Amino acid sequence: MLERGTVTLLVLLAVAPSADRLVAAFRKSFEELSVHTLPDSGSLDDCPLRLQKRASDEPVSAPTEEYPSFSRQFAHLAALGWKSAGGSAADIEWRCSGTLIAEDFVLTAAHCTQDEGAEPTVVRLGDLDLYDAKDDRYVQQIAIAEIIRHPEFNFNSAYHDVALLRLQQSVTVNDFVTPACLYTNDSLPFNTLHTTGWDFYAEVSPPIVSSPLRVIAQDRCKFWYRDNKEAFRKGINRMLMCAGDEQLKSCPSDTGGPLQVQLLSSSRYTPFVVGVSALGVPCGATTPGVYAKVPHYILWIESVTKRAFHPPDCVVRHISKRERDTSLVAPELKTPVQETHQTGKRSTVAANPLRAKLHVFKEFKCAVGVEGENVEWLCGCTIVAQDFALTSARCVKDVDVDVVNYRNDWKKVAEVIFHPEYDRKTLYNDLALIRLQTDNRNRYDWKAVSCVAAPARDDDQREYLSFGIGPHNLADDGLTDGSTDTAERYLTATLQLLENGNCTAAYEGYGILKAGLNETQFCLGAGTDHLVPGACEPWNGNEVLNEIRPLADSNPFPEDLVGVSSYAPECGFGRRPLVASRAAAFLGWMNSVVYKATDIHRVPQVLVEKELALDYICEASDREAGVCVHIDHCSHRALAKDVVKVCTNETATIVCCPVNSFIATAHLPLLTECEANYQRFRKKYVEFATAPDGTAAAGRPLADGDHAHSALIGWKVNRTATAWHCMGTLINLNTVLTTAGCANSVRRRSPDVISVGETDVARIYDGAAQLVRVKETIRYPSYNPKTHEYDIAVLKLESDVLPSANAIPACLWRDLNRTPYYGQAVHFDGQSLSVRDKNLVHNRDCKLFTSHTELNNDQLCWQAFRLRPDGADGPNCGRKGDPLITLQRSNNIYLPYLVGLYSHDQQCAGGEPIAATRISSYINWISLYM
C-alpha cells in the first residue's frame, strides 16, 4: 500500500515534466536536514541551512533575449583609394587604411594623403575583402571632399603624422559602417593593443585582419630607431608610441590604419583608436611599429570635426551597433565572426543577460554612508546577521559612518568592530563588522541575510561576481543610442579567478601586498577586457558572490557570500585585478563578534589537583560545585570560562561540569532505551509535511504511522464525555510528556486520560485508540504560568500502552550543545492532528527580533519552514503541548526525537517564531520519572 507522501509524489510526476528532478532534490534536502543541528550558542556557519533551504530546489531559468549574430568588429575601418593612372573612374587602387571617427570624417596618417604626388580621392567602408565582391552587400564608397593634415606635419619626418579626411557626404550608420571612438587619456593602462587593416605591402592583400601587439617601452623603442636620423631626428618622443610582436612577420594596418583597443560598456565592445601608424614603418620580426599617439591630438581633431570625443559620450552615440559581449551567448550558438560580416547574413541567437561581464544589478544591495545634508555613500557591505553588516576596514577606518542601507531599509550604525589584525597599510585582514541599531519591533527578517559560502576548491569555481557603481547609460542593455541617463546604478561584474602569483605581480611595488596574496585572500580579473573610462567605479567592501539569480526568480533569499572586495581599480577589469578577503577564512572572528561564540576546544585546559573518575564531585571554574562528566554531556556554554577543568587525562575527555549543566551518567541507559526498542514499528521513509510545490503549507493530516508518539490529553466532563484540550508525547510506555500549561488547561485540574493511536477526536471511541488513565501529573516545581518559565510536566499512566505501528514512544533529544535545525510540529486544533514543517531559530535572534525578549536558555524558538505559495511567511500557531519532532536516520529507520514543546506566542497568525520549552534542559528531571 502506498503511503500518503508517495501518492503526492506520483501526482507531481504526472503534472510537471521536471518534477522527477524536483522530487529528487526534495528528498535529498530532507536527508540533509534530518541530521543537521544548530549550535546552542548561535553561529553564522549554519546560515545557509537556516535561511536558504526554504527556497525552491528547482532554479528559475534566466530570461533570454534574441541578439543578432553578425559581426560589427570592423565597421569603422576605411580603405583609401587612388584613381589608376589612365584608368576609368571605376579603377581604384587601395593603398592606405583609415578609421571612420564621425559620420563625415576619417582619421588616417598624414603620409597616406599623398602618394607619388597624387592624393586619395575616395574611401570605402563596410568591406572586408577589397578584391572579392561576396561581402559587398553593405559597402559604402564615398568621395573625399577635403584633406586636412596636422599643421605641424612634414613629409620628411615621422612627427605629427595624422590627417583628417572630410567626406563629401555623411555615411549611413548601420551595423557594418559605424564610427569608432578616440582614446583621450595619455596614460595607457593596456598591455595589449590591436592593429587592424590590410597589408598593402603584401603582393596580394588578404582580407582584413586584426593582430595583437604589446606596447613597447619608449627607451627600448628608441634603440630600434636610433639610426633613423631623418624621420626621428628628435627621437621617439611622448607624441609617439611603439607596439610590436616578435612573433609576427609583419603588422597589418601599417599604412594609416588604427592601433586600437576594444572597451566594454552596456555589454558592447566599442573600438577606441589609441594610435595611427607613423610613416608606414613596417613592424614585426624584431622591429616595433611607431604610432602617433591619438590622445595628444584630441583638441586638434575636435576643432576640425566640431565634435567632442569624451569617451562616455562617444560610446552611447551608436552603442546599439557595436559588437556584443560574447559571454552573453553560449559557445555552441556563436557563429564565425568574419564569415557573417562578409556575407551580411542576419540571424538571431538566444543570449542570457546574466552572463554579461558588466550589467545593471536587479536591485541596490547594501551600502555604508555618512549622514549630512545628503547622505554620502562610501562603500558596499553585506548583511551577515540581522544586526550586523560586513565591509572593508579600509572603507570605514577614520570615518564616522552613520547609516547602512539595505534595499532601502535604513539602519543606524551602533558600533564598528575592526578585525584585530587589520593593517591599514596593506590589504591583509581588511574586514570590519558594523553593528546596527535594532529594537524588538523589527520582525525576524531572515530574507536580508547573505550566508558565507562554504570554501570551494579553486578548480571547482572559476567565475565569481562582484559589484560597483556606474552611469546607467554605460551599463544598460545597449539597445538605445544616445541615452543621456547618467544616474548611478548598482552594477555587477563577472570576473575570473586568477593565480595568486599573477595577482601579486600586478601589485608589485604598491606595498599593499607585501607578502603576496595569502590564504585568506583571492584575486579576480576580467582577462583582457577593459572598460570604457567611467563605466564602473569600485566600492570597497562590496560582496563577491558565486551566483546571481535572474530577475524572474521569485526566490527571496540572498546569494551566498564568497568574499569581500578589498581593492578593485575599475571593478576588477583592466591591468590590476580585484583583491578580496575570503569570507570563510574569517568565520571564527565573525562568530566571536556576532554571537559571542567560543570554541570550547580552544579554551585552555587545566587538570584538577587530583585526578577524578567519572561522576565524582569536583570544583568547577569560579569555585562552583561540579560533577565529572564526558565533555559532550556538559553544556559548553557553562564551560566557556577562562579555563576548562579536566578531571582525568584518559582518552575520553572528562571535565568538571557545573551543577545543573550536565546529563547524569546514571540516566543515560533510560534515555537511550527507545533507540534500540520498537524498531520493527519505526518508519523506513518519511517526507516533508509540505509538498514540493508549496501546497499544504499549513500542514497535512497525519497518515497512519506518522508520529505514533502523539497522545491526546483529556479531562472527564461526566461519566460518558471527555474534553480533549491539548496533546502530549509518549516517551515510554507509561509516561507522557507535555507542558505545564497544557496540564493546567482546565481550572488547574490534572488531566484524567490520554488517547494514543487515533488522530481525530471523532473516532477515538471507534476502537483504534488506546485510552489509558492518568495516575499522576507532575508539573515542574518552578513553573510560572505568567512568564511561561519551566513550562513542562510529566503524566504517569496507570498502565502501559501496547506498542503498535500507531503507538510508539519518541526519544528525547539530549544534546546540550546543539539543537536540530529541522523538525515537524504536530498540531492539535481541538479536533484532529496535523503535521507541519518547522525550523529552529537561534535564541539570540529570537530575542532581538521578535516579541520574545525574555526568552531564556531553557526555551527555544521555531517557525514555519517553508514559505506559503504567495511567498509570505507561514503561520506559527500552535496549542500548548504541541511537540517539535526531529527525525534522525539510524540503521535504515527514522528515529523520532522530541526537541521542544509548544509553550506560547503573542502573534499567532503573523508568522513570527513561537516560544517552546527546550527538552534537553530538563533531561535529568524527566529521567527521574521514566
Side-chain angles (χ1 to χ4, degrees):
M1 178 178 177
L2 289 172
E3 295 180 0
R4 183 187 302 268
T6 308
V7 174
T8 304
L9 297 178
L10 290 175
V11 172
L12 283 170
L13 286 169
V15 174
S18 62
D20 54 343
R21 296 198 310 273
L22 182 58
V23 169
F26 196 66
R27 285 178 169 167
K28 183 175 184 295
S29 293
F30 183 88
E31 295 290 338
E32 292 173 351
L33 295 171
S34 69
V35 297
H36 275 85
T37 52
L38 302 177
D40 181 50
S41 58
S43 172
L44 298 176
D45 303 62
D46 51 47
C47 172
L49 186 73
R50 287 185 289 124
L51 304 185
Q52 294 184 303
K53 279 293 184 183
R54 285 173 290 192
S56 170
D57 293 298
E58 185 79 352
V60 177
S61 60
T64 59
E65 299 178 25
E66 295 296 315
Y67 283 173
S69 61
F70 49 80
S71 168
R72 297 131 167 183
Q73 186 177 356
F74 309 111
H76 58 287
L77 197 69
L80 279 58
W82 278 257
K83 289 182 180 179
S84 301
S88 65
D91 293 329
I92 303 293
E93 292 184 7
W94 309 104
R95 304 177 189 174
C96 263
S97 303
T99 305
L100 186 71
I101 61 170
E103 287 83 348
D104 55 349
F105 276 95
V106 168
L107 175 66
T108 188
H111 75 265
C112 275
T113 60
Q114 191 177 96
D115 187 19
E116 298 178 357
E119 295 181 339
T121 59
V122 68
V123 298
R124 187 175 178 89
L125 301 115
D127 196 353
L128 290 183
D129 192 335
L130 298 172
Y131 303 107
D132 194 317
K134 70 179 182 180
D135 63 338
D136 288 354
R137 182 176 178 184
Y138 298 105
V139 164
Q140 297 182 47
Q141 189 163 304
I142 303 174
I144 297 172
E146 182 182 6
I147 296 174
I148 306 110
R149 302 181 187 93
H150 191 276
E152 297 182 53
F153 172 70
N154 185 319
F155 276 103
N156 295 321
S157 76
Y159 302 110
H160 310 297
D161 190 9
V162 292
L164 289 166
L165 309 180
R166 186 170 60 81
L167 307 181
Q168 280 191 357
Q169 65 187 55
S170 296
V171 300
T172 300
V173 176
N174 59 32
D175 294 313
F176 303 103
V177 178
T178 309
C181 291
L182 303 180
Y183 197 73
T184 60
N185 194 334
D186 182 49
S187 176
L188 300 178
F190 317 114
N191 293 322
T192 303
L193 299 169
H194 281 75
T195 178
T196 304
W198 300 271
D199 187 356
F200 292 109
Y201 288 112
E203 293 184 7
V204 178
S205 177
I208 194 170
V209 292
S210 180
S211 300
L213 300 179
R214 291 184 301 106
V215 177
I216 306 297
Q218 296 285 73
D219 290 343
R220 187 179 175 194
C221 193
K222 289 176 182 178
F223 171 80
W224 293 116
Y225 291 99
R226 65 189 184 280
D227 296 330
N228 195 333
K229 300 297 183 183
E230 183 177 353
F232 299 102
R233 58 186 178 277
K234 296 180 182 178
I236 305 295
N237 62 22
R238 68 184 186 86
M239 313 285 280
L240 299 169
M241 62 178 295
C242 299
D245 189 329
E246 295 179 0
Q247 302 302 316
L248 290 175
K249 293 183 178 179
S250 64
C251 298
S253 187
D254 48 13
T255 50
L259 181 67
Q260 67 183 48
V261 64
Q262 299 266 70
L263 299 184
L264 182 66
S265 68
S266 297
S267 297
R268 306 292 201 282
Y269 289 104
T270 299
F272 276 76
V273 181
V274 175
V276 177
S277 58
L279 280 182
V281 178
C283 75
T286 58
T287 307
V290 182
Y291 299 85
K293 203 171 181 182
V294 167
H296 288 290
Y297 298 97
I298 291 296
L299 294 179
W300 174 72
I301 294 172
E302 289 182 339
S303 68
V304 174
T305 61
K306 311 301 182 190
R307 287 173 173 82
F309 286 91
H310 182 54
D313 296 333
C314 180
V315 295
V316 300
R317 288 179 195 147
H318 306 297
I319 191 66
S320 67
K321 306 298 187 294
R322 302 301 184 187
E323 192 76 13
R324 282 186 168 86
D325 179 354
T326 56
S327 65
L328 292 168
V329 181
E332 62 272 16
L333 299 178
K334 294 176 183 175
T335 54
V337 173
Q338 290 194 23
E339 178 185 347
T340 54
H341 188 108
Q342 290 174 348
T343 61
K345 177 184 177 182
R346 291 176 179 270
S347 61
T348 58
V349 292
N352 182 349
L354 291 183
R355 294 178 58 90
K357 293 172 184 174
L358 184 73
H359 63 92
V360 177
F361 190 56
K362 57 186 177 182
E363 61 193 357
F364 187 80
K365 290 176 76 68
C366 184
V368 184
V370 176
E371 282 192 303
E373 186 174 341
N374 294 305
V375 177
E376 179 186 2
W377 299 110
L378 301 178
C379 51
C381 58
T382 307
I383 304 297
V384 292
Q386 282 75 12
D387 55 339
F388 276 91
L390 181 66
T391 188
S392 160
R394 299 176 72 248
C395 164
V396 294
K397 194 70 174 177
D398 302 324
V399 181
D400 293 328
V401 291
D402 303 297
V403 64
V404 166
N405 179 2
Y406 180 82
R407 298 181 180 177
N408 289 323
D409 183 13
W410 291 40
K411 293 284 195 306
K412 290 282 189 178
V413 172
E415 181 185 8
V416 178
I417 304 102
F418 294 91
H419 191 279
E421 297 178 44
Y422 167 61
D423 177 2
R424 70 174 64 197
K425 296 180 181 179
T426 71
L427 300 182
Y428 304 119
N429 305 306
D430 182 20
L431 289 177
L433 280 164
I434 300 174
R435 187 168 63 83
L436 309 175
Q437 291 183 13
T438 58
D439 58 61
N440 297 107
R441 291 170 297 180
N442 297 328
R443 280 201 62 253
Y444 178 63
D445 186 10
W446 38 264
K447 297 177 186 177
V449 179
S450 286
C451 296
V452 176
R457 296 206 321 269
D458 289 342
D459 55 350
D460 290 339
Q461 181 77 31
R462 304 297 302 181
E463 194 170 81
Y464 294 90
L465 301 114
S466 185
F467 298 88
I469 55 173
H472 185 263
N473 61 354
L474 295 184
D476 59 11
D477 56 16
L479 298 176
T480 305
D481 291 335
S483 171
T484 59
D485 182 2
T486 58
E488 286 189 337
R489 296 292 195 276
Y490 201 57
L491 310 178
T492 180
T494 302
L495 303 171
Q496 285 74 46
L497 188 69
L498 300 183
E499 298 294 333
N500 284 8
N502 293 344
C503 188
T504 300
Y507 285 100
E508 191 173 1
Y510 284 81
I512 55 179
L513 290 175
K514 294 178 180 178
L517 215 66
N518 66 28
E519 68 280 359
T520 69
Q521 299 169 300
F522 61 101
C523 209
L524 304 175
T528 58
D529 283 319
H530 291 257
L531 297 179
V532 170
C536 185
E537 296 295 328
W539 260 6
N540 293 337
N542 263 326
E543 54 196 337
V544 178
L545 309 175
N546 58 11
E547 67 167 333
I548 287 288
R549 299 191 182 105
L551 284 168
D553 191 347
S554 59
N555 187 338
F557 302 91
E559 295 79 12
D560 286 344
L561 173 69
V562 176
V564 176
S565 173
S566 184
Y567 192 62
E570 292 191 83
C571 300
F573 290 80
R575 180 179 293 173
R576 286 177 292 163
L578 176 150
V579 180
S581 300
R582 200 181 296 272
F586 296 92
L587 263 173
W589 169 68
M590 287 189 277
N591 277 327
S592 69
V593 174
V594 177
Y595 284 99
K596 312 297 182 187
T598 302
D599 185 347
I600 193 64
H601 298 290
R602 295 188 178 184
V603 177
Q605 295 185 355
V606 59
L607 191 65
V608 296
E609 293 182 9
K610 181 181 179 181
E611 289 194 28
L612 301 173
L614 198 65
D615 294 333
Y616 272 55
I617 303 299
C618 57
E619 184 180 277
S621 300
D622 299 333
R623 305 184 66 85
E624 292 182 78
V627 177
C628 292
V629 299
H630 190 282
I631 191 171
D632 289 339
H633 297 157
C634 179
S635 169
H636 291 177
R637 185 174 56 249
L639 282 177
K641 305 290 178 64
D642 296 334
V643 296
V644 172
K645 287 194 172 183
V646 179
C647 292
T648 177
N649 276 331
E650 295 177 5
T651 304
T653 305
I654 307 300
V655 297
C656 184
C657 188
V659 173
N660 299 324
S661 300
F662 66 92
I663 298 176
T665 307
H667 295 163
L668 290 176
L670 290 173
L671 296 172
T672 58
E673 203 174 73
C674 82
E675 296 170 1
N677 296 338
Y678 323 116
Q679 291 206 11
R680 68 185 185 280
F681 298 118
R682 303 290 190 196
K683 283 211 163 189
K684 294 186 176 181
Y685 195 79
V686 292
E687 294 277 9
F688 277 117
T690 308
D693 61 356
T695 58
R700 61 168 173 78
L702 288 187
D704 288 343
D706 281 353
H707 298 289
H709 44 76
S710 302
L712 296 178
I713 302 175
W715 283 257
K716 287 289 185 180
V717 177
N718 52 46
R719 288 187 176 183
T720 59
T722 302
W724 305 95
H725 285 286
C726 52
M727 67 174 296
T729 303
L730 192 68
I731 59 172
N732 69 17
L733 296 182
N734 64 5
T735 309
V736 169
L737 198 61
T738 187
T739 58
C742 168
N744 278 12
S745 293
V746 181
R747 300 174 185 174
R748 299 197 177 182
R749 274 180 51 204
S750 294
D752 300 303
V753 66
I754 65 106
S755 169
V756 180
E758 180 53 69
T759 62
D760 194 312
V761 169
R763 297 196 298 264
I764 283 180
Y765 298 102
D766 290 351
Q770 297 186 56
L771 297 172
V772 184
R773 292 187 63 84
V774 176
K775 180 173 66 175
E776 183 182 9
T777 299
I778 306 110
R779 300 173 185 84
Y780 196 84
S782 304
Y783 169 59
N784 187 328
K786 293 183 179 180
T787 63
H788 306 285
E789 292 179 292
Y790 310 109
D791 190 9
I792 193 166
V794 170
L795 306 184
K796 296 302 294 182
L797 309 181
E798 284 190 350
S799 59
D800 287 356
V801 170
L802 181 64
S804 70
N806 292 316
I808 325 166
C811 305
L812 298 179
W813 184 261
R814 57 184 181 273
D815 193 328
L816 302 179
N817 302 303
R818 300 185 68 84
T819 306
Y821 160 68
Y822 166 81
Q824 292 186 339
V826 183
H827 175 56
F828 178 54
D829 62 6
Q831 180 61 43
S832 62
L833 298 179
S834 60
V835 62
R836 305 173 181 186
D837 295 319
K838 303 291 179 180
N839 70 274
L840 270 293
V841 179
H842 285 311
N843 274 25
R844 168 198 175 275
D845 296 334
C846 199
K847 289 169 67 175
L848 280 174
F849 304 105
T850 77
S851 60
H852 302 300
T853 57
E854 303 301 322
L855 200 72
N856 61 43
N857 292 329
D858 299 327
Q859 297 170 307
L860 53 78
C861 276
W862 78 59
Q863 65 180 0
F865 175 70
R866 288 192 180 273
L867 301 177
R868 296 189 308 194
D870 62 0
D873 293 300
N876 286 306
C877 299
R879 185 173 287 221
K880 296 173 182 180
D882 285 358
L884 178 71
I885 303 293
T886 188
L887 296 153
Q888 305 285 301
R889 191 171 180 83
S890 174
N891 296 327
N892 204 34
I893 60 170
Y894 279 93
L895 293 172
Y897 284 86
L898 176 62
V899 177
L901 293 170
Y902 179 96
S903 177
H904 68 283
D905 66 56
Q906 296 178 18
Q907 299 175 1
C908 175
E912 182 180 79
I914 61 92
T917 300
R918 186 187 296 270
I919 296 301
S920 60
S921 294
Y922 297 90
I923 286 292
N924 290 330
W925 180 78
I926 297 170
S927 300
L928 297 175
Y929 302 99
M930 291 181 69

